[in-house]
Amino acid sequence: MVRFLLASVIIAWSSFASSFEATPYIVNGTTANISNYPTFASLFYRSNTLYSTSSFCGATLINSEYVLTAAHCIYGQNETMLYTVVAPQLEDESQFLSSPQARVVEFYYPDTYSDSSVDLWRDDIAILKLETALGVGDFKYLLNTTINNSFPSNGEFIAVGHGYIEGNQPGGGQLLETELEYISTFACQAEFGSAITDKHLCFGGPEKSGYQNSTCSGDSGGPVYYYNGLDYIQVGLTSFGPALCGDNRYSVTSVFTDLYDYQGWIDQVLAGEVEPKAFVLVEDGVRRLINNEHGSSQAEVTPDQLTTSSSGGGGVFYGLLVLLLIAFKRSIKW
């Protein structure tokens, strides 16, 4: 029996009402230079009363208004979606509060997405539309559109993120990178079963001190790049892996959603041809998340509500409680 870990982060309680703690890093990583990976972005939680001191998922910039991430990072989580902000090109998470950032206003993922370990999170991809444009360029040309499951086994592949380190342990806030080794779909199916399809990309990695190079919890939605001799082209986004990150008992340590297979869907979303699964509506200055997929909504706690002891304290406590209980998928039996 294999235990799987979705790579989104597990949030821990903080003693401070103004923030909560999360955990960063990647397995066997070295410090990354953000100039090599200009599409990298981070998802943070930020409300009127709470903010995350570390990102809960990674992401990548398509352009100034649209961002790619994993569907499981936001699926069914109204509170998280309502308060999600995107911070672009953040090399050190300690700089989050002073960095450029934008709220998310629309959430898209495929109708066929399955939030289930049985299906190995089929079609685990999402697009986020921003409320205000970020000061970045158009990076769509850095998404893979030409290579379909025919990567060289000795190609240069780099995963980037702020997720956990080896042994599923927390680390610091610097962006890290790690080299991965491409594994064919056939070999990946031998490890994880028939739910693996050619819409997945599978990787292992060199071993160091008992752990293979790998993504880990906190890296979900972030990129794996293929260096084509000129640019770092994003070929996949982080989805899941073995529960023990970098576990050397398995040849596959990281599984990604293959972006090549979603070119048409991405183009449709950018062209406004797809209805969002959830969106933020602003009425009388109050933001409300409308979840079309689940037929539910979530209203923000406004500053005037926070001035009263009854609703203010309750609002802060509710936010903390939700953050503790949000399903940023933990280790799951398969």
Side-chain angles (χ1 to χ4, degrees):
M1 180 176 290
V2 180
R3 290 179 181 269
F4 285 126
L5 178 70
L6 279 166
S8 43
V9 76
I10 301 166
I11 296 174
W13 184 272
S14 169
S15 59
F16 298 97
S18 61
S19 67
F20 64 89
E21 298 295 330
T23 50
Y25 269 57
I26 207 163
V27 177
N28 292 342
T30 56
T31 302
N33 184 338
I34 195 63
S35 64
N36 292 329
Y37 315 109
T39 68
F40 183 78
S42 307
L43 304 186
F44 285 79
Y45 178 102
R46 188 172 188 176
S47 73
N48 291 314
T49 57
L50 303 169
Y51 63 89
S52 54
T53 56
S54 293
S55 56
F56 65 82
C57 271
T60 49
L61 304 161
I62 301 176
N63 55 38
S64 62
E65 295 183 281
Y66 289 92
V67 174
L68 274 174
T69 190
H72 79 257
C73 286
I74 49 89
Y75 179 81
Q77 300 173 48
N78 290 356
E79 171 90 5
T80 303
M81 288 190 282
L82 180 61
Y83 293 117
T84 292
V85 297
V86 175
Q89 303 167 347
L90 192 61
E91 198 166 84
D92 186 340
E93 290 188 312
S94 67
Q95 298 170 353
F96 162 60
L97 288 180
S98 59
S99 72
Q101 54 196 258
R103 287 172 160 176
V104 179
V105 70
E106 293 177 3
F107 301 82
Y108 301 84
Y109 50 84
D111 295 337
T112 52
Y113 169 64
S114 175
D115 196 50
S116 167
S117 60
V118 174
D119 296 324
L120 297 185
W121 300 276
R122 182 186 62 238
D123 298 326
D124 191 9
I125 183 173
I127 292 178
L128 315 181
K129 183 178 181 180
L130 304 180
E131 195 168 57
T132 55
L134 294 167
V136 300
D138 189 336
F139 295 119
K140 190 170 183 292
Y141 75 99
L142 292 176
L143 300 180
N144 175 43
T145 60
T146 59
I147 306 175
N148 185 16
N149 298 103
S150 58
F151 297 101
S153 58
N154 61 347
E156 181 181 345
F157 299 92
I158 304 290
V160 180
H162 287 291
Y164 281 39
I165 59 170
E166 50 274 10
N168 298 24
Q169 296 298 312
Q174 283 293 125
L175 182 66
L176 293 187
E177 62 182 46
T178 193
E179 293 186 12
L180 298 178
E181 298 171 348
Y182 175 68
I183 294 174
S184 70
T185 301
F186 179 78
C188 195
Q189 288 173 332
E191 190 96 275
F192 291 151
S194 61
I196 290 289
T197 73
D198 59 7
K199 289 186 175 183
H200 293 102
L201 289 176
C202 300
F203 293 87
E207 185 175 332
K208 178 182 177 182
S209 301
Y211 294 96
Q212 295 183 64
N213 292 9
S214 176
T215 54
C216 195
S217 180
D219 293 322
S220 275
V224 58
Y225 297 106
Y226 169 62
Y227 186 65
N228 66 3
L230 183 64
D231 294 305
Y232 285 97
I233 302 298
Q234 186 181 359
V235 295
L237 59 86
T238 308
S239 183
F240 69 93
L244 177 62
C245 301
D247 194 330
N248 61 14
R249 294 174 297 174
Y250 305 106
S251 61
V252 178
T253 60
S254 306
V255 180
F256 298 78
T257 303
D258 186 351
L259 294 185
Y260 178 89
D261 298 292
Y262 298 89
Q263 296 175 64
W265 179 77
I266 292 171
D267 288 342
Q268 288 179 322
V269 172
L270 299 188
E273 298 172 358
V274 178
E275 291 293 320
K277 290 294 192 293
F279 64 94
V280 174
L281 182 67
V282 181
E283 294 180 324
D284 298 326
V286 177
R287 302 174 80 252
R288 178 183 295 274
L289 189 285
I290 309 298
N291 194 321
N292 291 326
E293 177 86 347
H294 297 276
S296 59
S297 66
Q298 175 73 45
E300 69 178 337
V301 177
T302 60
D304 61 306
Q305 289 174 311
L306 295 173
T307 60
T308 65
S309 59
S310 58
S311 62
V316 172
F317 176 77
Y318 177 72
L320 284 169
L321 181 61
V322 169
L323 289 171
L324 288 171
L325 299 178
I326 281 175
F328 291 138
K329 319 291 190 199
R330 302 169 188 252
S331 299
I332 300 172
K333 281 189 177 182
W334 177 67

